[in-house]
Amino acid sequence: MSTAARRTPPAKTRKSPSPAKPAAPRRQADEQPLIEDIRLLGRILGDVIREQEGAATFELVERIRTLSVAFRRDQDHSADRALKNLLKSLSANEAVRVIRAFTYFSHLANLAEDRHQIRRRTEAERAGEAIEGSLEVALARIRKAGIGDAQVAQALAHSYLSPVLTAHPTEVQRKSILDAERGIAQLLAARDEIRQRQRLYAGGKDALTPRELADNEAQLRVRVTQLWQTRLVRFTKLLVADEIENALSYYEATFLREIPHVYADLEKALGREDIAPFLRMGQWIGGDRDGNPNVTAETLDYALRRQCELALRHYLTEVHYLGGELSLSAALVDVSPEMQALAEASPDPSEHRRDEPYRRALIGIYARLAATLRELTGGVAARHAVAPQNPYPDAQGLLADLRTIEESLREKHGAALVEPRLKPLIRAVEVFGFHLATVDLRQSSDKHEAVVADLLKVARIEPDYTALAEDAKQTLLLRLLDDARPLHVPDAAYAPLTVSELAIFAQARTAHARYGRAAIRHYIISHTETVSDLLEALLLQKEVGLMRGTLNEDAVCDLIVVPLFETIEDLRNAAPIVRAFYGLPGVHAMVQRSGAEQDVMLGYSDSNKDGGIFTSNWELYRAGNALVKLFDELNAGQERPIRLRMFHGRGGTVGRGGGPSYQAILAQPPGTVRGQLRLTEQGEVIGSKYANSEIGRRNLETLVAATLEATFLTPNKAAPAAFLDAAEALSRASMAAYRALVYETPGFVDYFFGATPIREIAELNIGSRPASRNPKHNIEDLRAVPWSFSWGQCRLTLNGWYGFGSAVVRFVEGAPDAKGRKEREALLQRMYAQWPFFRTLLSNMDMVLAKSDLALATRYAELVGDRKLRQKVFSMIEAEWHRTSDALTLITGAKQRLEGNVEMQRSVRHRFPYIDPLHHMQVELMRRFRSGDGGERLQRGIHLSINGVAAGLRNTG
């Protein structure tokens, strides 16, 4: 890999504009540290391959890389033929070794890019540059608008911002790999520090730096060797418990320490220390049952216990270190009366610490935390100055003790001792409590219907609930919600689904008692299509005591019932369904009594699979507007208005709502944020955003900055009517073009299953959830996640752009004359310049097109056995690709892709020449495997290539 690491030609897409190239001298200066890191890591990997696998394997890797680059850069047909012949000649073992080499290089290139991103950000901050997405810039804009810091702090007191980690079958990283890569990232950071010190001695004698750099390189070699000898993919399918542990690793690496830092930065920027805890974490893993029969009450219990354990062990560690730091003697400093009482209440008997009140108090706190850990999780603390005793009943008790210490230090000349560790610990307890993250419960509406039907049948209230009309269902459900009696008949026999679902609700009630109400706050109903879907979830809460009282009088509900609108039709019906729900007697008052909060979740993935990228985004925009208007009407004249919180079910890929979070939040319809926002983080995006703690903190800061800007600076007035009308016309045409290909082209399903690795992805052990809701081969039942993942793997990324080109052509050509066409073109250009929604959507399409590659896609198309079908479908896709690229050029004025995204240009330029060989290898191995010339080793090679491509493409993988 040493030669490969030196050559980084710009990426090109056949018959299409290449990504824009910035000025060479400036680029080389800016990128030199990145190039050096990539070369270093590539050289070390090459050395390890030569050492571990032999010179022949190293030369083979280099030969494949050279031919692949020639195919990409020069469209060299002789190189294409030579590459195909070479790949066909490889044995399964040789193929796996080559795939591992390029996959690991992709992983190492990611680490180098992450380091460079941090480096560039630090340099910009040191130079005093304004950084888009930073708290500093956001607050400066807010102040310029005449909004004071006190007003911002007051708004945050009523805000709720929550990234929500979800488990989906696009996260192909093993925890062992993530841990090793964190070690490499730390060594790259240390190498930067050595280089900075080296500059201090420039021109003078410096015998130490070469030794430090050599030692650093030796440690990097150790970690790369560890990677090479570690399995990339799992032998067995991932269990829910494995997914829980994977997610928890991000809390250890990033969230527990970096979220308090984000709060500290915000407090400094606002000049106050009373910022309410508005930024919190959410989690689906362990509570998301939709389509995953492996999630049960037992897995929910496990998730909550492990989350609690992780939080408590973090607190125990910090309290232990605080005890070492707060060695203050009463002979030298005074303490507050409250602090003295806390010290005297400690069970610490040591005479050596009699004059050390803070240490004595912290030993008592540690003993209580250790007892809490044992009581809530069964775990044992690592250290014991005294035996665990007197567990805390809740996190507020721990918080009160820590604040007693803080107040005493501030009063008695010890304020400096608060900042390094105590203050971040207090903030962590405020944010994470004993629950760590709020676990959402989610289930499909048809499952709720089946459970309610079973309960009603056994209770002899209604023999066939599912056959009732919607009005009849609502009438019956309202009557039952007005009745204080439960439906459950003791000792009666119920269907397994009923038993399992009621156990989940019961476990949620237990969780509230053990870990606090924040442990579970939301109950999400997938496929919400009717008002009865919402009432059924209320009834099931009532069965286990999560809803108390009667709906017509004094009902209080512990879990927020959250409708999830997913398909295009569902999004169009979102506001009418919520309006009808709130129009029912007792519902509005119950929500007010229960906290006056209403989350509504909007699904990006399924709506995209249903109607294509533009229509999905447009209907999401329209639904958001309609919901804001509805709640403004509901809240008019109310003493306690209900806060609407949009929950965006964004995936990792652009086709599933991914893309830069900052721009996405600012592009939301006017009034839809208002300090309230939840959004999912999925797949490889979790790793790219949060595996590195520094990058994780920046991403969290960006979420806060975007939420502040969207809350205070987004204009309240709607976009111009001409913009809205044009978007509606584009949506209709785009959806028609998309569905004509995906749902109306005969044989398209066969093309998709042939020209993408969807079948192989379904067999990859990367998630506990099945890839399809139904084993039949049809698009409707396929989950949106593997649908998007497959298009990314074959480099068409179809779900991120298809239909838009045809829509623009139809919109412009629909004008009556040349003047009208020019006016429509000008309208689209104004929409791009003035409307954040339209500009962000087109920016995401631009990025997706830049990452697509028609030349590589033809390789995958060759896997389709029916030549006529292959030519027909691919020609449709290719033509639409060019229409979309031309449309983007027309509207944005950018003749090349990524013209305004220097960072992504850099990523494409350095990354793609080394991803290409993985595609070529993947196609060859899929061809063999599908023809029956397979075996476990061949299948493992395919799975390794999927991992490598996903790692290399990141947010399109």
Side-chain angles (χ1 to χ4, degrees):
M1 299 298 289
S2 58
T3 307
R6 295 190 188 95
R7 299 175 188 165
T8 52
K12 293 184 180 179
T13 303
R14 194 184 66 171
K15 303 178 185 176
S16 62
S18 64
K21 294 175 282 189
R26 170 73 182 274
R27 184 184 77 208
Q28 290 174 358
D30 288 346
E31 297 180 7
Q32 191 58 37
L34 171 63
I35 293 169
E36 290 176 4
D37 282 347
I38 289 178
R39 285 175 175 170
L40 172 67
L41 293 172
R43 175 169 56 79
I44 292 173
L45 178 60
D47 291 346
V48 169
I49 292 171
R50 191 185 287 107
E51 172 192 291
Q52 303 281 322
E53 307 295 338
T57 297
F58 175 81
E59 295 302 330
L60 176 61
V61 169
E62 281 299 291
R63 176 65 176 152
I64 291 172
R65 185 202 61 78
T66 302
L67 292 172
S68 178
V69 168
F71 175 67
R72 160 175 284 277
R73 183 182 57 199
D74 305 323
Q75 299 173 37
D76 186 334
H77 295 292
S78 63
D80 183 23
R81 289 190 298 272
L83 181 59
K84 285 181 178 178
N85 292 332
L86 177 57
L87 296 182
K88 287 178 182 178
S89 70
L90 297 181
S91 68
N93 285 333
E94 288 174 322
V96 168
R97 285 194 290 268
V98 169
I99 289 171
R100 292 184 74 230
F102 284 105
T103 295
Y104 277 125
F105 187 81
S106 290
H107 284 245
L108 294 172
N110 285 349
L111 296 175
E113 278 197 5
D114 289 346
R115 184 65 226 158
H116 194 62
Q117 181 181 337
I118 295 167
R119 185 186 296 124
R120 292 290 303 278
R121 173 75 180 242
T122 302
E123 290 171 355
E125 289 179 343
R126 187 171 284 118
E129 295 178 12
I131 301 172
E132 193 82 354
S134 67
L135 284 173
E136 182 183 4
V137 169
L139 290 173
R141 289 172 177 167
I142 291 169
R143 289 167 184 145
K144 188 175 181 181
I147 299 165
D149 292 351
Q151 191 175 345
V152 173
Q154 184 180 9
L156 290 176
H158 305 287
S159 297
Y160 191 98
L161 171 61
S162 180
V164 181
L165 304 191
T166 72
H168 274 282
T170 59
E171 176 52 78
V172 298
Q173 297 273 46
R174 290 183 64 214
K175 186 176 182 298
S176 298
I177 299 296
L178 289 171
D179 290 342
E181 291 180 356
R182 286 190 184 105
I184 294 173
Q186 290 166 0
L187 288 168
L188 289 176
R191 195 171 186 85
D192 267 0
E193 293 175 3
I194 296 169
R195 287 168 173 160
Q196 287 173 2
R197 290 197 297 270
Q198 185 181 32
R199 295 189 192 104
L200 297 175
Y201 296 94
K205 185 175 181 180
D206 179 13
L208 182 59
T209 297
R211 292 204 302 267
E212 290 179 327
L213 288 172
D215 180 62
N216 178 273
E217 183 174 330
Q219 293 180 62
L220 283 168
R221 192 176 301 274
V222 169
R223 290 287 164 247
V224 173
T225 301
Q226 176 191 350
L227 273 180
W228 185 258
Q229 296 183 359
T230 300
R231 276 188 295 111
L232 266 167
V233 296
R234 302 174 182 89
F235 285 143
T236 57
K237 191 167 183 64
L238 203 63
L239 302 176
V240 177
D242 299 320
E243 293 175 328
I244 291 167
E245 296 302 324
N246 275 0
L248 292 181
S249 71
Y250 293 101
Y251 288 84
E252 293 178 290
T254 299
F255 298 124
L256 280 164
R257 298 190 184 279
E258 298 305 333
I259 284 181
H261 286 167
V262 172
Y263 277 104
D265 290 343
L266 186 57
E267 287 171 343
K268 289 175 186 175
L270 293 174
R272 54 198 305 149
E273 297 185 357
D274 58 347
I275 302 300
F278 68 96
L279 172 62
R280 302 175 182 272
M281 292 303 299
Q283 194 102 325
W284 272 17
I285 309 165
D288 179 13
R289 313 189 301 291
D290 180 19
N292 193 345
N294 301 307
V295 176
T296 63
E298 289 72 25
T299 55
L300 176 60
D301 177 53
Y302 178 80
L304 293 165
R305 278 192 292 109
R306 283 292 293 122
Q307 289 183 192
C308 176
E309 181 179 5
L310 191 71
L312 290 175
R313 290 195 184 279
H314 175 72
Y315 304 154
L316 283 162
T317 299
E318 294 304 294
V319 167
H320 170 73
Y321 285 119
L322 269 174
E325 294 167 5
L326 298 184
S327 55
L328 288 65
S329 171
L332 300 173
V333 296
D334 293 329
V335 298
S336 69
E338 295 81 6
M339 178 64 226
Q340 186 62 40
L342 185 62
E344 290 175 357
S346 171
D348 180 18
S350 174
E351 289 294 320
H352 299 297
R353 291 185 288 269
R354 179 180 294 181
D355 71 325
E356 296 175 341
Y358 291 103
R359 275 185 168 168
R360 290 170 59 207
L362 287 162
I363 285 172
I365 291 172
Y366 191 97
R368 296 192 70 183
L369 274 172
T372 307
L373 176 70
R374 183 175 61 190
E375 181 175 276
L376 293 182
T377 73
V380 177
R383 309 169 183 89
H384 293 297
V386 298
Q389 54 196 282
N390 190 21
Y392 285 106
D394 53 42
Q396 291 305 309
L398 170 61
L399 201 55
D401 284 352
L402 294 174
R403 283 181 171 149
T404 295
I405 297 175
E406 178 192 22
E407 290 163 6
S408 178
L409 286 169
R410 292 190 186 280
E411 289 174 15
K412 306 299 180 180
H413 309 292
L417 298 169
V418 171
E419 300 301 322
R421 193 180 302 276
L422 178 57
K423 189 176 178 182
L425 175 58
I426 289 172
R427 181 61 82 177
V429 176
E430 282 183 333
V431 171
F432 300 107
F434 288 170
H435 65 286
L436 188 72
T438 294
V439 176
D440 290 357
L441 303 183
R442 183 172 79 131
Q443 182 57 289
S444 180
S445 59
D446 62 313
K447 303 297 184 185
H448 297 146
E449 183 182 55
V451 172
V452 169
D454 193 28
L455 288 169
L456 293 175
K457 183 177 181 180
V458 172
R460 299 186 180 181
I461 293 174
E462 171 55 54
D464 192 359
Y465 170 77
T466 58
L468 296 178
E470 173 62 17
D471 287 348
K473 285 182 179 178
Q474 290 184 33
T475 300
L476 174 56
L477 292 168
L478 287 170
R479 177 164 62 83
L480 294 171
L481 289 167
D482 288 340
D483 190 333
R485 295 169 296 179
L487 293 173
H488 188 269
V489 178
D491 301 323
Y494 288 97
L497 176 65
T498 303
V499 174
S500 175
E501 289 298 302
L502 290 178
I504 287 278
F505 283 92
Q507 187 63 51
R509 189 181 183 194
T510 300
H512 282 179
R514 289 177 66 82
Y515 310 111
R517 294 285 294 275
I520 302 176
R521 297 185 75 242
H522 306 91
Y523 194 94
I524 300 167
I525 306 165
S526 298
H527 311 113
T528 299
E529 297 173 349
T530 61
V531 173
S532 64
D533 292 337
L534 304 176
L535 294 174
E536 287 163 1
L538 287 176
L539 186 64
L540 294 176
Q541 287 196 58
K542 173 175 169 284
E543 278 301 296
V544 300
L546 287 170
M547 175 181 166
R548 297 170 299 284
T550 58
L551 187 61
N552 58 353
E553 290 186 6
D554 56 353
V556 174
C557 199
D558 289 343
L559 302 183
I560 302 170
V561 173
V562 183
L564 167 53
F565 301 104
E566 299 171 270
T567 67
I568 298 300
E569 183 179 359
D570 292 346
L571 289 170
R572 290 170 177 169
N573 292 330
I577 288 174
V578 176
R579 181 185 294 276
F581 177 61
Y582 273 83
L584 296 174
V587 168
H588 194 287
M590 179 200 68
V591 174
Q592 286 180 314
R593 285 190 295 269
S594 304
E597 297 174 281
Q598 179 63 64
D599 292 64
V600 176
M601 186 170 183
L602 304 178
Y604 288 65
S605 303
D606 284 286
S607 59
N608 178 284
K609 184 165 72 76
D610 187 24
I613 181 72
F614 192 91
T615 299
S616 169
N617 279 266
W618 173 237
E619 293 299 341
L620 287 160
Y621 187 91
R622 292 183 66 216
N625 266 332
L627 287 164
V628 167
K629 182 179 179 183
L630 166 61
F631 276 84
D632 284 347
E633 293 173 6
L634 291 174
N635 289 328
Q638 294 287 328
E639 290 185 8
R640 191 177 189 190
I642 294 172
R643 288 192 295 274
L644 170 65
R645 183 181 304 117
M646 307 302 294
F647 185 8
H648 298 275
R650 305 170 76 236
T653 69
V654 167
R656 297 179 50 235
S661 297
Y662 177 75
Q663 287 85 355
I665 293 172
L666 295 183
Q668 294 304 308
T672 55
V673 177
R674 296 176 181 173
Q676 307 293 319
L677 184 68
R678 299 184 87 217
L679 69 165
T680 55
E681 300 279 26
Q682 301 178 3
E684 266 57 51
V685 170
I686 297 176
S688 65
K689 281 187 174 182
Y690 302 116
N692 183 294
S693 60
E694 288 186 71
I695 290 177
R697 183 169 78 250
R698 301 304 185 191
N699 278 298
L700 291 166
E701 178 186 350
T702 295
L703 283 180
V704 174
T707 302
L708 287 172
E709 290 191 46
T711 298
F712 289 105
L713 302 180
T714 302
N716 291 320
K717 64 179 181 180
F723 289 9
L724 300 176
D725 291 344
E728 177 63 27
L730 289 170
S731 174
R732 287 196 300 269
S734 178
M735 184 170 175
Y738 173 83
R739 292 191 65 88
L741 172 74
V742 174
Y743 294 100
E744 297 165 14
T745 299
F748 179 81
V749 173
D750 295 330
Y751 177 90
F752 172 68
F753 277 88
T756 76
I758 179 62
R759 287 181 280 179
E760 290 74 16
I761 288 169
E763 296 168 354
L764 185 54
N765 297 312
I766 54 178
S768 66
R769 184 190 303 273
S772 179
R773 295 183 175 90
N774 190 312
K776 296 179 181 178
H777 279 189
N778 59 66
I779 304 300
E780 289 84 355
D781 288 325
L782 187 68
R783 293 190 179 282
V785 180
W787 163 259
S788 300
F789 195 54
S790 299
W791 288 119
Q793 287 282 314
C794 75
R795 293 294 287 280
L796 276 175
T797 58
L798 177 142
N799 56 310
W801 53 268
Y802 197 93
F804 183 68
S806 290
V808 171
V809 170
R810 185 169 177 179
F811 177 74
V812 172
E813 296 300 323
D817 50 33
K819 180 182 177 182
R821 288 192 289 273
K822 285 294 182 184
E823 289 173 349
R824 291 194 176 189
E825 289 176 359
L827 173 61
L828 293 175
Q829 290 161 359
R830 286 200 308 278
M831 290 166 64
Y832 178 76
Q834 301 172 16
W835 192 13
F837 161 76
F838 195 66
R839 182 169 59 252
T840 299
L841 178 53
L842 267 61
S843 174
N844 284 337
M845 286 188 199
D846 177 67
M847 179 183 69
V848 171
L849 280 183
K851 288 189 170 186
S852 65
D853 192 303
L854 294 177
L856 285 173
T858 60
R859 283 291 181 88
Y860 287 87
E862 291 169 3
L863 295 169
V864 179
D866 187 329
R867 184 175 59 84
K868 290 184 178 179
L869 175 65
R870 177 174 71 232
Q871 292 176 342
K872 176 184 177 183
V873 173
F874 190 82
S875 64
M876 292 174 68
I877 294 172
E878 185 177 32
E880 183 64 17
W881 193 100
H882 289 293
R883 279 192 291 268
T884 302
S885 183
D886 291 343
L888 289 175
T889 297
L890 170 70
I891 296 169
T892 69
K895 296 181 180 179
Q896 296 176 308
R897 303 281 67 83
L898 299 178
E899 200 165 283
N901 191 335
V902 175
E903 192 170 294
M904 188 62 69
Q905 288 174 29
R906 182 184 68 231
S907 179
V908 168
R909 188 166 53 253
H910 290 292
R911 182 185 306 276
F912 281 17
Y914 309 104
I915 304 175
D916 290 358
L918 290 167
H919 289 289
H920 293 298
M921 295 296 301
Q922 186 180 99
V923 170
E924 171 59 24
L925 296 191
M926 286 167 59
R927 183 190 62 76
R928 294 188 203 179
F929 190 73
R930 292 177 180 182
S931 66
D933 180 19
E936 184 181 346
R937 192 70 174 165
L938 200 65
Q939 188 177 27
R940 189 160 302 281
I942 297 171
H943 292 172
L944 285 168
S945 71
I946 292 171
N947 179 296
V949 170
L953 294 177
R954 293 192 134 173
N955 65 345
T956 54

